[in-house]
Amino acid sequence: MNSTHKPLPAPVANFIRNIVDADIASGKNATRRWSGRPGLAEQHHAAASDPAKIRTRFPPEPNGYLHFGHAKSICLNFGLARDYGGRCHLRFDDTNPEKEEKEYVDSIVDAVRWLGFSWDEGGEKNLYFASDYFDWMAACAEYLIDTGHAYVDSQSSEEMRVNRGTLTEAGRNSPCRERSVEENRGLFQRMRAGEFPDGAHVLRAKIDMASPNINLRDPVIYRIRHAPHHNTGGRWRVYPMYTFAHPIEDALENITHSICTLEFEDQRPFYDWLLARLAEGGLIQRPVPRQIEFSRLNLTYVVLSKRKLIQLVDEKHVDGWDDPRMPTLVGARRRGYTPEGFHLFAERIGVSKSDTLIDYALFEDCMREVLNLSAERRVAVLDPLRLIIDNYPEGQREDCFAPNHPLKPELGTRTLSFGRELWIERDDFMENPVKGFHRLYPGNTVRLRYAYVVKCAGFDTDETGRIVAVHCDYMPDSKSGTPGADAYKCKGNLHWISAADAFAAEVRLYDRLFSVPAPGADGRNFIDDINPESVRRIMARLEPALENAKPEERFQFERHGYFVADRVDSVPGAPVFNRTVTLRDSWGKKG
Ligand code: ATP
Ligand code: MG
């Protein structure tokens, strides 16, 4: 990873930073104590004050690969902790017994690390699994039962649905709502013991069936599920609902700012209700965590829905989750996108509560900006055409010097060997130049960069009329870096590789996976919007210095764009390159 350059501007204020600033100024969270690991209030009470000024968390469910949207959330949560002397926890929200897989846990850990963030800070190791909290969650549920704030409901799910009411109509109380504390306690014990089949009963919070917010109409907090859990095995027959588990997870971990996407806004009253009850009972410490919602990332030309990403993989429209065209972080990594580019992007798009659609070109610009500073330059001829310099002696070779990075002379130069036969790009020559074409055509003069000025003398074709070689004469006094060079003025400045030195390698030219800004809009099947030219595999001619490129090493191929040595398919001495992004936004323009 090239991390010497941090083009990040100072953080821009946003509504979340304003909240954090105000909370820090008021000293609100300074009374919290932290025992060094998650737990109920009794465990934290005797401990010292929390050394972290704020605590945030990134709480993925380990049921899929992380995508660009998650990167926004990761940069936001870890970025706040970094900027405010806080900590950010990585918490696997694995309370649902059926879904999670170890493969996803590992890939999420890798992705967060790859983005450059750490949950091991200040002697703490804040990597947690919500399923480790099941005992505490059950204790919270029992506290609600004991204080008359929860009851066991034995209605069928259909009855519950009907009795919940609608947006315009209040719900109806369940006939079980007035069960005694003893009866509820006994029933919940038997639910826990596995005496009932799935769906026979649920535990509900007792709030208000007439609330205008449907989420407060006695939400279900525990359900019976006879399913083994990857962490707790067969120990539990009841599992907490996400909306009950999540606030408790935050409280146990001393989270101060629980940042989530907007669809949870309607859940905030329940989040607050639940934590207020538990704090009243002394189970969790005050101040309780505060939920803050922001709008999720939506990008043009990209789908981020888990269901759609799974479909792309399952139906083999892409070559797996780490296909460089996938908007997953494993895909981004193979594509050559940089962690610094994600940081810059997250900073540029900011956070807000309004639904926005971000132009993919902005994302690509962030990547270019970072790569322009960090990637060394190399020469690659993607579509080779032979150039013969008729007046250059056969067998003669000479060294030309090319800077590794024009903005960073300290990175030195590399040697390109000039000779009589070179490779140039096929589209740098035109037999009959169109207007404005300043490159090679019969009679025209161009500079071969770092080398000589040449004048086109003619070209050869094969029996089908295809151009197979271009002939030139060079000007011996025009070599770059010599006093005579300035006497020549040419509009064209072409890259080249000597045919004797070049090596052939596979280069994959990736482009956008979808050809329209809103895949699947207006009732179309998003699969029909896949760009048929989202990848083109070619054999290119590359300069020798690229032969030993290490996997994940990134380069600018001059005049083409940014490329990375593929981390999966490259082998020592035989790299394969992926195009990350072109030098300029060329989408929709053929060039
Ligand atoms: P699911 O559809 O399975 O709930 P999810 O995309 O919400 O998937 P989670 O694992 O629950 O996945 O997400 C972890 C965190 O990432 C959450 O805090 C969520 O708010 C955030 N997140 C997910 N998608 C986006 C997005 N597009 N933009 C910003 N944040 C996101
Ligand atoms: Mg989710």
Side-chain angles (χ1 to χ4, degrees):
M1 187 191 316
N2 294 308
S3 57
T4 43
H5 280 270
K6 292 249 162 17
L8 270 191
V12 179
N14 60 47
F15 82 99
I16 297 182
R17 285 181 181 273
N18 293 344
I19 291 172
V20 174
D21 284 332
D23 286 348
I24 287 182
S26 74
K28 175 183 163 203
N29 291 306
T31 57
R32 293 167 312 122
R33 296 175 177 279
W34 174 242
S35 67
R37 60 196 166 82
L40 293 172
E42 57 185 8
Q43 176 191 306
H44 293 303
H45 268 327
S49 8
D50 192 336
K53 291 229 168 51
I54 62 167
R55 282 184 193 271
T56 55
R57 85 283 173 271
F58 175 64
E61 255 175 272
N63 64 357
Y65 287 89
L66 298 186
H67 55 58
F68 291 9
H70 295 114
K72 173 178 177 179
S73 176
I74 292 168
C75 290
L76 175 61
N77 282 294
F78 280 92
L80 283 171
R82 173 196 62 208
D83 296 344
Y84 284 95
R87 307 264 193 281
C88 182
H89 300 188
L90 175 59
R91 178 204 307 151
F92 289 101
D93 219 320
D94 60 349
T95 52
N96 184 344
E98 278 117 318
K99 294 244 191 78
E100 294 83 14
E101 280 179 45
K102 172 92 168 75
E103 173 194 354
Y104 297 127
V105 168
D106 294 341
S107 96
I108 291 170
V109 162
D110 279 353
V112 177
R113 281 212 186 103
W114 179 73
L115 281 175
F117 294 112
S118 170
W119 45 89
D120 293 338
E121 303 260 300
E124 296 186 6
K125 191 168 170 54
N126 292 306
L127 175 81
Y128 301 113
F129 288 84
S131 59
D132 287 333
Y133 308 154
F134 281 156
D135 282 307
W136 290 321
M137 291 173 188
C140 291
E142 278 159 7
Y143 168 78
L144 295 181
I145 293 173
D146 290 347
T147 50
H149 291 302
Y151 62 97
V152 173
D153 196 351
S154 314
Q155 295 182 100
S156 68
S157 54
E158 178 56 19
E159 287 166 327
M160 278 184 52
R161 195 186 58 73
V162 169
N163 289 334
R164 189 173 296 125
T166 64
L167 285 174
T168 52
E169 200 189 321
R172 273 185 301 276
N173 285 353
S174 162
C176 308
R177 201 169 192 265
E178 297 312 322
R179 274 177 168 151
S180 69
V181 168
E182 283 64 39
E183 192 181 359
N184 284 320
R185 199 181 304 165
L187 281 170
F188 189 57
Q189 274 317 318
R190 292 172 61 197
M191 286 165 66
R192 284 185 64 165
E195 287 186 30
F196 306 114
D198 288 4
H201 308 280
V202 292
L203 184 67
R204 298 177 76 173
K206 190 171 180 177
I207 309 178
D208 179 6
M209 288 304 292
S211 171
N213 182 338
I214 291 184
N215 298 301
L216 291 180
R217 293 182 189 171
D218 294 6
V220 174
I221 59 178
Y222 262 93
R223 65 197 167 121
I224 301 171
R225 207 57 206 93
H226 290 265
H229 185 282
H230 75 98
N231 180 18
T232 56
R235 201 158 88 76
W236 293 90
R237 275 57 169 262
V238 294
Y239 290 95
M241 301 302 285
Y242 179 83
T243 49
F244 174 77
H246 202 88
I248 296 176
E249 293 159 22
D250 287 341
L252 294 167
E253 293 180 19
N254 257 18
I255 299 303
T256 54
H257 301 86
S258 176
I259 301 168
C260 59
T261 42
L262 271 181
E263 68 271 21
F264 291 99
E265 196 164 23
D266 291 345
Q267 289 290 350
R268 181 162 18 104
F270 178 62
Y271 185 102
D272 292 341
W273 178 91
L274 175 61
L275 294 186
R277 297 292 79 71
L278 299 177
E280 254 163 39
L283 277 90
I284 60 170
Q285 59 177 328
R286 287 192 226 263
V288 299
R290 168 174 185 176
Q291 177 178 306
I292 304 168
E293 310 86 20
F294 71 102
S295 62
R296 56 174 52 233
L297 171 68
N298 296 302
L299 266 177
T300 59
Y301 297 96
V302 167
V303 300
L304 292 178
S305 132
K306 206 168 277 179
R307 183 181 60 75
K308 291 180 177 168
L309 297 179
I310 289 171
Q311 192 180 342
L312 287 171
V313 173
D314 284 352
E315 295 178 2
K316 303 206 181 329
H317 301 290
V318 294
D319 305 326
W321 287 97
D322 67 349
D323 186 300
R325 292 165 295 176
M326 285 286 276
T328 52
L329 294 183
V330 277
R333 185 168 176 181
R334 266 189 89 179
R335 177 73 171 257
Y337 293 141
T338 64
E340 294 82 358
F342 276 100
H343 293 200
L344 183 61
F345 178 63
E347 203 56 55
R348 288 257 163 88
I349 58 177
V351 287
S352 77
K353 276 185 173 287
S354 47
D355 250 320
T356 47
L357 182 60
I358 306 290
D359 192 340
Y360 197 68
L362 175 65
F363 174 83
E364 292 184 316
D365 273 341
C366 291
M367 294 301 160
R368 283 187 191 102
E369 202 168 315
V370 167
L371 288 166
N372 181 38
L373 290 177
S374 58
E376 290 201 4
R377 275 44 171 178
R378 295 290 184 268
V379 179
V381 174
L382 302 184
D383 187 6
L385 174 63
R386 196 170 287 271
L387 182 81
I388 301 164
I389 302 174
D390 295 325
N391 63 341
Y392 196 84
E394 211 140 347
Q396 182 170 313
R397 307 288 291 272
E398 72 185 278
D399 288 345
C400 298
F401 301 97
N404 284 322
H405 200 297
L407 305 172
K408 295 195 230 168
E410 68 276 14
L411 293 179
T413 57
R414 63 197 196 283
T415 307
L416 295 173
S417 175
F418 190 79
R420 190 168 191 270
E421 292 204 5
L422 311 175
W423 293 115
I424 59 166
E425 295 292 345
R426 181 165 286 278
D427 67 6
D428 278 339
F429 175 79
M430 286 186 108
E431 177 184 356
N432 300 303
V434 294
K435 192 163 177 287
F437 185 83
H438 299 300
R439 292 167 277 162
L440 275 175
Y441 54 87
N444 195 37
T445 301
V446 299
R447 174 168 291 285
L448 297 175
R449 51 175 58 180
Y450 319 123
Y452 292 99
V453 170
V454 295
K455 181 170 187 177
C456 183
F459 58 94
D460 302 333
T461 54
D462 64 12
E463 57 281 9
T464 67
R466 181 178 157 86
I467 296 166
V468 292
V470 175
H471 290 269
C472 284
D473 289 316
Y474 87 116
M475 319 294 166
D477 60 347
S478 67
K479 193 170 181 185
S480 297
T482 63
D486 291 343
Y488 293 87
K489 298 280 174 259
C490 315
K491 284 196 173 158
N493 186 351
L494 312 188
H495 66 276
W496 53 272
I497 309 174
S498 103
D501 291 344
F503 76 102
E506 181 178 335
V507 173
R508 298 160 183 171
L509 301 175
Y510 289 108
D511 210 329
R512 298 180 185 188
L513 182 55
F514 293 96
S515 45
V516 298
D522 304 323
R524 292 189 308 275
N525 180 349
F526 79 103
I527 294 293
D528 296 335
D529 289 333
I530 289 178
N531 174 9
E533 291 170 27
S534 59
V535 62
R536 201 152 58 84
R537 295 180 166 80
I538 58 167
M539 285 307 277
R541 303 298 153 113
L542 310 180
E543 70 166 89
L546 286 167
E547 205 156 359
N548 292 313
K550 290 186 280 300
E552 295 200 74
E553 234 183 314
R554 302 181 178 92
F555 302 96
Q556 183 194 101
F557 288 177
E558 295 186 25
R559 298 177 65 221
H560 287 302
Y562 297 97
F563 291 74
V564 66
D566 188 78
R567 62 194 286 254
V568 177
D569 296 330
S570 294
V571 294
V576 170
F577 291 93
N578 299 331
R579 181 169 71 196
T580 309
V581 62
T582 52
L583 278 188
R584 275 169 292 280
D585 186 5
S586 57
W587 178 255
K589 308 167 193 107
K590 281 279 164 236

